[in-house]
Amino acid sequence: LLFLLRRAGRIGPDDTLINASPNDQRLAHEIVGLLDSLPLALDQAGVYIDETQCGLDGYVDLFETRQDYLLQHRGKWVKDHPNSVAVTLSVAFKRVQEVNPAAADLLRLCAFLDPDSIPEKMIVESESVLPNSLKTLAKDPIKLNEASRDLLNYSLIRRNPDHTFTLHRLVQLALKNEMDAKTQQRWATRAVQVVSYIYPDSDYTNLQLCLHYLPHAQYCA
């Protein structure tokens, strides 16, 4: 919150939250949530707000309809890291595609699932409905580890101790924006097929498993 408010010029560089109005604090909190706390995105948002004087509320309104533009707009006077979020992530996507196409496909599938907790088991156990590039990951834990490593190297995914993946929401959004409509439809369909295949019969004996996969079923719906 402090980083965004200072970068947007709403408070001074040494001010604390108490120097921001309650309304600015509320709007800043909303923007931090929209950008999922990604530092480069917060910096980019602050620069945009400061340069255009659109206000925190104006940025929130724009983000609802023009996310793609805002993620690409870095600002004219930024020298330390001139590339936008969209460009930075696009370069990372291309590098992963070059070094490990299967890892890139894993990321594409994850872009159409709930990003907060994607069970590795969901990938492994749905081998029969996966495209060929992902079947190799489902069959071989070494290949899955290698794909995870290459995505981790570019900070595109997080692998958690409970054997789940977490995908940053802006990574998810930027990746979808990289796809044309047909590619989006193809990967969305694959995500639905995976969730449909793995989701258990809805009876009381499977309640915990149903709850485990429910966020992905809701996301697909």
Side-chain angles (χ1 to χ4, degrees), residues 35-89:
L35 301 178
D36 209 12
S37 302
L38 187 69
L40 177 58
L42 292 173
D43 183 57
Q44 189 167 310
V47 169
Y48 184 84
I49 293 165
D50 189 37
E51 285 188 355
T52 64
Q53 292 296 301
C54 66
L56 298 170
D57 55 343
Y59 189 90
V60 170
D61 291 341
L62 265 180
F63 197 84
E64 292 179 0
T65 57
R66 300 295 302 276
Q67 293 174 342
D68 53 343
Y69 172 80
L70 291 176
L71 292 180
Q72 292 170 12
H73 188 91
R74 184 65 183 104
K76 291 184 177 180
W77 313 116
V78 177
K79 303 298 183 186
D80 54 343
H81 188 92
N83 288 338
S84 68
V85 170
V87 170
T88 301
L89 292 175

Side-chain angles (χ1 to χ4, degrees), residues 105-167:
D105 280 351
L106 176 61
L107 194 66
R108 292 184 182 102
L109 179 66
C110 289
F112 292 92
L113 297 168
D114 182 84
D116 290 331
S117 183
I118 302 169
E120 295 176 26
K121 189 176 181 181
M122 187 159 68
I123 310 299
V124 172
E125 294 189 358
S126 60
E127 178 199 333
S128 62
V129 297
L130 292 174
N132 289 334
S133 60
L134 293 182
K135 286 183 188 294
T136 59
L137 304 187
K139 289 178 182 176
D140 189 344
I142 297 295
K143 295 292 185 184
L144 182 60
N145 285 338
E146 290 174 351
S148 301
R149 175 201 62 202
D150 292 331
L151 293 173
L152 288 165
N153 282 344
Y154 290 97
S155 301
L156 293 172
I157 210 165
R158 189 169 73 241
R159 199 177 192 185
N160 305 308
D162 63 351
H163 300 289
T164 61
F165 294 114
T166 300
L167 189 65

Side-chain angles (χ1 to χ4, degrees), residues 149-213:
R149 175 201 62 202
D150 292 331
L151 293 173
L152 288 165
N153 282 344
Y154 290 97
S155 301
L156 293 172
I157 210 165
R158 189 169 73 241
R159 199 177 192 185
N160 305 308
D162 63 351
H163 300 289
T164 61
F165 294 114
T166 300
L167 189 65
H168 196 286
R169 292 177 187 278
L170 289 191
V171 171
Q172 194 176 46
L173 177 61
L175 186 57
K176 288 178 181 177
N177 288 341
E178 290 267 306
M179 304 178 190
D180 59 31
K182 286 186 177 179
T183 305
Q184 283 194 16
Q185 185 177 27
R186 182 165 64 250
W187 284 101
T189 299
R190 286 169 175 167
V192 170
Q193 289 170 338
V194 165
V195 175
S196 297
Y197 181 84
I198 203 72
Y199 202 86
D201 293 334
S202 299
D203 62 55
Y204 72 94
T205 60
N206 290 320
L207 178 60
Q208 290 305 314
L209 203 53
C210 287
L211 291 174
H212 191 51
Y213 292 123

